[in-house]
Amino acid sequence: MKITNCQVNHLTDPLGFDMQETVFSFQVTQAAGTRLVEARLIVTARGTAVADSGWTENPDPRAWRVNVPLAPRTRYTWTVSVRTDAGEDAVSAPNTFETALMDEGWQARWLTCDRGERLPIFHKHIDVPADLASARLYICGLGLYEARLNGKKIGSEYLTPYCNNYHAWLQYQTFDVTEHLRAGGDLSVLMGDGWYMSRFGYQSKPGDSGLCGDAHKLIAQVVMTDAVGRETVVGTDDSWTVTRSCITFTSIYDGEHRDDTLPETAPEQAVYAEPPKAALTARWSLPVTAHETWRPIELIRTPKGETVLDLGQNFSGTFRMRVHEPAGTAIRLQVGEVLQQGCFYRDNLRSALAEYRYVSDGREKVIEPVFTFYGYRYVKVEGVSDLRTEDFTAVALYSDLPETGAIETGHAKVNQLIKNAHWGLRSNFLDVPTDCPQRDERMGWTGDAQVFSPPACNIRDGYAVLGEYLHDMATEQAALGGLVPNVVPSFSDCNRGTATVWGDAATIIPWNLYRMYGDEAILNCQYDAMKAWVDFLTRVDGDEHHWRDVFHYGDWLALDNPRGGVDQTFGGTDVGYIADVYYAGSARIVAKSAALLGKAEEADHYEALAERILSDLRDEYFSPNGRCCIPTQTAQILALHYPGVTVSREKAAERLRECFRETGGELRTGFVGTPLLCGTLCDIGETKLAYDLLLREDYPGWLYEVNLGATTIWERWNSMNPDGSVSSTGMNSFNHYAYGSIVQWLFEYAAGLKPDEACPGFARAKIHPHVDERLGHVEMRYASASGEYRISWAFAGEQLTLHVEIPFGCTAALTLPGADETLELTPGKYDYTLPKAQCVRHGATAPLRPDGWGRPSA
Ligand code: BGC
């Protein structure tokens, strides 16, 4: 028996994270028993026990709150011991967490310097005690910083202090610098512009100034502890000096310029800065680090005579390039996602220059941008005399999200689609969950994050990254009367509109995290913000349903707008209807959360609100006999997915079938309908149609883009025309994750694994594989918050074999393909062989299974 995945606040051995409380989690594997009987958690600091749960019966291993008296800058070690129902015992290996400064305050003061023509480097020589035992660096720099000791980068993180609502809060990071300092005390901090100081937002143009500030600012504090526990603190003060780097320009959208021929500069004195108004807090953001690295697959000479490297994969990140050019040679790199007629292309990046300019000093070296990132597959290279593919290395940058789920099928193109969705996630979880990584946006669009949050948590551990995003969202809401800006962080008024489905991220994402991870902490943290969003809607809605009338994106990029056209972005489903459905849905989530958090009166209030909105919605959008008057696929999908929208699921189901008959079986859905499309079809017994849509190879369908060589998920169903030409450049990205939500369907329906909301965090699962011979087989594993589930099925001749594994401590209700009744499963491995004819039962005979948002539990 082993104890694995030990975490505190859903982080493994966190160093310097903001900690309001301590919630522990762990998993038991390789046990003879099936469930935990009791456990004991002990926390020590400096060798002394500071918390001991004592032997506790049935603690929740997904979220065990053990109160630890937290002190600043303290390293804690903890172990958990468990006993199972088979009488086994085990103790975990020691785990750690370390607090940051907490309320101790800073001895350091904020510094700044002249803006100058070149990015500044702040310096300080530190005298290191001979018997140094440990040392930490606490640091925040605006816009971005990269700290070095003795010329060596500290840590492996990129783009610190990350991207959040700088008007409200700033994050400082903590680094263990013990080893660095043993080698010497030359501390230097290179400063960049980043989201804070370079232009940002889709209405900005190259040359525009930043939205948050115009001066580099730095605060840093090194705490050194010697062998007898004596502390020496060195913080930023006016003894620090400033020199100038060779970086002459840096911008998130426009790239970076470096000129190595520039002379060294004499040290200037750093000056004290006006401290930023925002609160300086310990980090929430996960580290963004370099993950995959690889070489170009091809060096292309294009018909226009351009030299272009093909990385073979669209992605987000940076690069390293070996240069060996004579002094004074100017090199320019530009990036793009696709080629057009074999030539370099980047019009769809719009105003983003996304380039790197370098002037060589004649010395051979490896160059790498520091304070920018690119979304790209192709690189146009100018100024290099003998370019070799081995000189260039692609570096994927994204937040450190542990992989949790994998799914593979017997269909090569579906497997490529899954891979593309993985790359969509990697490319768009660079600290903030973004819409896209390449053009002049790369922003935390709430709607995109909302629809992609469940699949994100299927394939990676999304708790911490989405938790930080929600925390940031709440800081925005606090200043905007509960309004959720369309993008988080918003940075400026031009991004502070709000809309249905987008703003509902404030309720839907926390609820998804609660369902997937089973920790009420997320509801506790977000409850006020969730409520504030619904209260905001109530104020806007008034007595006359004004929320229906404000600007909404609606079923964004759906294909059923009667006034279609290549640049059409709005779908055909009445936005007022969508607005009502999501308003009621958000109210119901708040009601359920209130019930869980023991706020019975508020639960009643929000449930009654949801009922009232639904009743008004039915009056407005349904016939008296319960037929939805909006003739679109998405309208019926919402009616079927969200309980209470329709009084007649049968009518909505029939109408949805009819909608598909009218389009000859083609989908017409956009951002709202698509994530729910295939699941809803399975729920009404139309599994074959769901598979028809998944497997469709031409437009509009998921495999259309796979056939056209996509290596990520496109923003539009028709981002590219069948002849390979880009369909429009106004708004067209080849790396948008929203339609990658099909991966959630593959987990939840094709493999068939869903969390049971009543026992969240997969303590109990609902398993119901929906099979189709065209997929051949499915193999899925999911490292849930409760342990690893595995489901696989395969067709062999006239039979279907099904394998299911339930982890320690969990239970599941299994519905076999084609069956109506469910089987109760306890931890263990199960194999079934079923006659094919019985499993593949399609059509209206299957039961209508309501799913989605239920009522609050009493
Ligand atoms: C973004 C989206 C976003 C949308 C708002 C676009 O420019 O890329 O994905 O949700 O605007 O409708």
Side-chain angles (χ1 to χ4, degrees):
M1 180 165 79
K2 274 196 176 152
I3 302 177
T4 60
N5 291 345
C6 293
Q7 293 193 316
V8 59
N9 299 346
H10 305 269
L11 299 164
T12 304
D13 296 334
L15 169 63
F17 277 75
D18 183 77
M19 293 186 111
Q20 305 295 335
E21 58 173 347
T22 41
V23 180
F24 297 88
S25 51
F26 60 90
Q27 288 163 18
V28 174
T29 59
Q30 299 169 26
T34 58
R35 61 179 188 84
L36 204 62
V37 172
E38 51 180 357
R40 179 177 182 186
L41 203 140
I42 297 175
V43 185
T44 61
R46 299 185 184 95
T48 316
V50 292
D52 182 348
S53 69
W55 282 101
T56 306
E57 276 177 38
N58 288 323
D60 182 353
R62 284 156 292 273
W64 190 4
R65 270 175 190 70
V66 176
N67 190 31
V68 180
L70 295 175
R73 296 187 292 106
T74 304
R75 190 165 188 79
Y76 297 84
T77 302
W78 63 282
T79 55
V80 59
S81 313
V82 303
R83 281 187 196 138
T84 74
D85 56 345
E88 305 148 282
D89 281 298
V91 187
S92 72
N95 309 285
T96 62
F97 60 94
E98 184 176 317
T99 51
L101 298 170
M102 298 184 67
D103 51 7
E104 193 182 54
W106 289 74
Q107 297 184 28
R109 287 174 63 184
W110 284 94
L111 294 179
T112 188
C113 62
D114 286 342
R115 180 100 197 228
E117 301 285 299
R118 295 152 67 170
L119 293 184
I121 308 173
F122 288 79
H123 298 268
K124 173 75 185 172
H125 182 79
I126 297 172
D127 292 323
V128 184
D131 54 350
L132 181 74
S134 79
R136 296 289 181 269
L137 167 66
Y138 305 91
I139 180 168
C140 177
L142 297 171
L144 301 173
Y145 72 87
E146 187 180 283
R148 294 170 192 219
L149 264 164
N150 314 308
K152 203 172 150 216
K153 177 172 163 137
I154 297 171
S156 54
E157 302 186 37
Y158 287 75
L159 302 165
T160 46
Y162 302 118
C163 177
N164 56 265
N165 177 9
Y166 299 129
H167 302 295
W169 63 300
L170 302 167
Q171 306 181 55
Y172 65 88
Q173 286 71 39
T174 304
F175 295 99
D176 180 347
V177 288
T178 319
E179 290 312 315
H180 281 97
L181 281 173
R182 285 198 177 120
D186 277 325
L187 177 61
S188 62
V189 186
L190 171 65
M191 306 295 297
D193 294 0
W195 297 275
Y196 187 85
M197 284 168 71
S198 66
R199 63 128 172 163
F200 198 68
Y202 55 98
Q203 287 154 351
S204 69
K205 292 279 162 293
D208 285 357
S209 43
L211 296 172
C212 302
D214 55 9
H216 296 110
K217 290 186 181 180
L218 172 70
I219 190 164
Q221 186 161 302
V222 176
V223 181
M224 295 173 286
T225 311
D226 68 14
V228 293
R230 251 190 327 248
E231 285 183 353
T232 315
V233 179
V234 177
T236 33
D237 63 19
D238 58 3
S239 69
W240 287 53
T241 56
V242 176
T243 60
R244 299 290 159 170
S245 70
C246 290
I247 301 174
T248 55
F249 173 81
T250 182
S251 151
I252 296 289
Y253 293 157
D254 300 324
E256 214 157 271
H257 302 174
R258 167 172 157 185
D259 182 349
D260 278 359
T261 64
L262 292 171
E264 276 184 19
T265 63
E268 311 152 38
Q269 202 187 323
V271 293
Y272 287 120
E274 170 96 1
K277 291 194 178 52
L280 183 58
T281 63
R283 70 185 301 161
W284 281 63
S285 283
L286 292 176
V288 169
T289 57
H291 293 265
E292 296 80 0
T293 57
W294 69 99
R295 293 273 154 78
I297 57 167
E298 201 185 343
L299 175 65
I300 303 169
R301 304 270 175 224
T302 73
K304 284 187 188 164
E306 304 149 314
T307 303
V308 172
L309 294 169
D310 177 4
L311 277 314
Q313 174 65 55
N314 201 9
F315 74 107
S316 169
T318 182
F319 62 84
R320 295 181 195 124
M321 185 157 141
R322 177 164 295 282
V323 289
H324 29 71
E325 296 298 319
T329 310
I331 293 173
R332 184 187 190 197
L333 309 182
Q334 288 172 294
V335 300
E337 293 186 286
V338 292
L339 298 180
Q340 288 290 274
Q341 290 166 337
C343 295
F344 183 72
Y345 172 89
R346 42 166 249 152
D347 290 357
N348 69 319
L349 272 57
R350 299 193 305 216
S351 76
L353 298 177
E355 62 179 7
Y356 189 77
R357 290 173 183 244
Y358 175 72
V359 182
S360 170
D361 60 357
R363 274 185 292 193
E364 179 169 337
K365 66 183 76 164
V366 174
I367 54 171
E368 178 176 2
V370 191
F371 296 123
T372 190
F373 66 93
Y374 308 89
Y376 70 110
R377 167 172 172 171
Y378 297 95
V379 192
K380 180 170 133 187
V381 183
E382 291 169 294
V384 177
S385 50
D386 61 338
L387 185 67
R388 296 171 301 203
T389 51
E390 58 269 30
D391 287 335
F392 192 93
T393 305
V395 180
L397 294 182
Y398 50 91
S399 296
D400 280 350
L401 311 173
E403 278 190 57
T404 49
I407 188 158
E408 212 190 281
T409 74
H411 194 295
K413 290 179 183 174
V414 172
N415 291 342
Q416 180 65 43
L417 176 69
I418 296 167
K419 199 172 160 207
N420 294 357
H422 277 263
W423 274 105
L425 182 149
R426 291 183 184 116
S427 310
N428 285 298
F429 274 82
L430 195 155
D431 192 35
V432 173
T434 52
D435 56 336
C436 58
Q438 74 297 82
R439 68 180 178 220
D440 52 1
E441 274 189 86
R442 317 187 199 179
M443 297 159 89
W445 281 95
T446 49
D448 307 46
Q450 187 263 100
V451 302
F452 197 69
S453 63
C457 297
N458 277 136
I459 55 187
R460 299 236 171 200
D461 181 349
Y463 190 95
V465 73
L466 290 167
E468 188 271 336
Y469 180 64
L470 291 171
H471 173 70
D472 203 31
M473 192 181 290
T475 69
E476 298 267 7
Q477 288 181 261
L480 299 170
L483 176 150
V484 176
N486 285 325
V487 296
V488 172
S490 67
F491 293 139
S492 93
D493 282 343
C494 62
N495 302 318
R496 291 193 185 124
T498 192
T500 185
V501 179
W502 271 247
D504 296 292
T507 53
I508 296 175
I509 299 178
W511 189 253
N512 282 337
L513 293 180
Y514 169 71
R515 285 186 327 123
M516 301 285 282
Y517 296 95
D519 185 355
E520 269 175 35
I522 193 69
L523 299 180
N524 224 345
C525 282
Q526 293 301 128
Y527 183 73
D528 288 343
M530 295 161 78
K531 217 169 68 154
W533 166 244
V534 174
D535 293 346
F536 166 81
L537 294 180
T538 304
R539 284 199 305 280
V540 175
D541 209 40
D543 295 328
E544 317 253 314
H545 296 296
H546 287 307
W547 180 237
R548 292 175 186 163
D549 307 324
V550 309
F551 171 84
H552 293 297
Y553 298 105
D555 196 15
W556 190 241
L557 302 184
L559 303 174
D560 49 8
N561 189 320
R563 292 177 303 283
V566 74
D567 258 328
Q568 182 56 266
T569 52
F570 295 98
T573 305
D574 190 314
V575 293
Y577 168 73
I578 298 176
D580 276 5
V581 170
Y582 279 81
Y583 176 14
S586 279
R588 191 157 265 168
I589 287 177
V590 173
K592 290 195 289 187
S593 307
L596 284 163
L597 300 174
K599 302 170 194 286
E601 253 175 57
E602 297 194 358
D604 289 347
H605 166 77
Y606 288 101
E607 178 56 24
L609 175 63
E611 293 294 346
R612 182 173 65 71
I613 303 153
L614 288 170
S615 150
D616 291 359
L617 168 159
R618 289 192 298 267
D619 287 349
E620 181 72 19
Y621 300 104
F622 284 79
S623 76
N625 291 326
R627 195 171 54 85
C628 181
C629 302
I630 303 165
T632 64
Q633 295 172 358
T634 292
Q636 317 311 317
I637 290 167
L638 296 183
L640 287 160
H641 184 78
Y642 293 120
V645 171
T646 177
V647 290
S648 170
R649 289 181 55 78
E650 287 70 19
K651 282 205 171 84
E654 199 33 51
R655 188 71 191 94
L656 182 56
R657 292 185 188 103
E658 216 172 286
C659 288
F660 273 95
R661 281 195 290 273
E662 284 160 10
T663 62
E666 287 182 8
L667 63 80
R668 291 284 183 267
T669 52
F671 270 39
V672 177
T674 304
L676 310 174
L677 168 62
C678 289
T680 304
L681 287 172
C682 291
D683 288 342
I684 63 166
E686 297 295 344
T687 299
K688 177 174 177 300
L689 179 52
Y691 273 98
D692 289 347
L693 296 175
L694 170 74
L695 299 173
R696 187 185 167 95
E697 301 223 5
D698 37 43
Y699 169 81
W702 280 278
L703 299 187
Y704 169 68
E705 58 192 67
V706 170
N707 281 340
L708 280 168
T711 58
T712 39
I713 302 285
W714 295 350
E715 178 171 23
R716 294 168 177 265
W717 291 116
N718 62 341
S719 285
M720 197 178 260
N721 298 314
D723 64 0
S725 58
V726 172
S727 64
S728 116
T729 50
M731 199 196 71
N732 201 350
S733 117
F734 292 88
N735 202 351
H736 245 67
Y737 54 39
Y739 292 157
S741 57
I742 188 65
V743 166
Q744 182 190 359
W745 179 82
L746 287 163
F747 275 91
E748 294 193 342
Y749 285 86
L753 177 71
K754 278 188 191 181
D756 181 340
E757 200 172 285
C759 305
F762 290 88
R764 180 171 171 78
K766 292 179 179 175
I767 299 180
H768 184 181
H770 290 70
V771 301
D772 190 296
E773 211 173 354
R774 287 171 288 175
L775 212 52
H777 68 261
V778 163
E779 263 173 62
M780 189 252 9
R781 60 186 159 73
Y782 176 56
S784 79
S786 299
E788 185 166 281
Y789 284 86
R790 283 174 184 253
I791 299 172
S792 54
W793 54 258
F795 281 94
E798 287 309 300
Q799 294 192 315
L800 176 88
T801 57
L802 171 68
H803 177 80
V804 176
E805 291 182 26
I806 312 295
F808 177 89
C810 299
T811 60
L814 169 67
T815 309
L816 291 170
D820 293 337
E821 65 285 356
T822 58
L823 306 170
E824 265 309 302
L825 303 186
T826 52
K829 299 180 181 179
Y830 300 84
D831 286 291
Y832 303 88
T833 304
L834 305 160
K836 184 168 101 184
Q838 186 187 310
C839 304
V840 191
R841 241 182 35 178
H842 294 302
T845 48
L848 296 179
R849 245 171 255 103
D851 210 338
W853 294 336
R855 297 163 146 276
S857 44

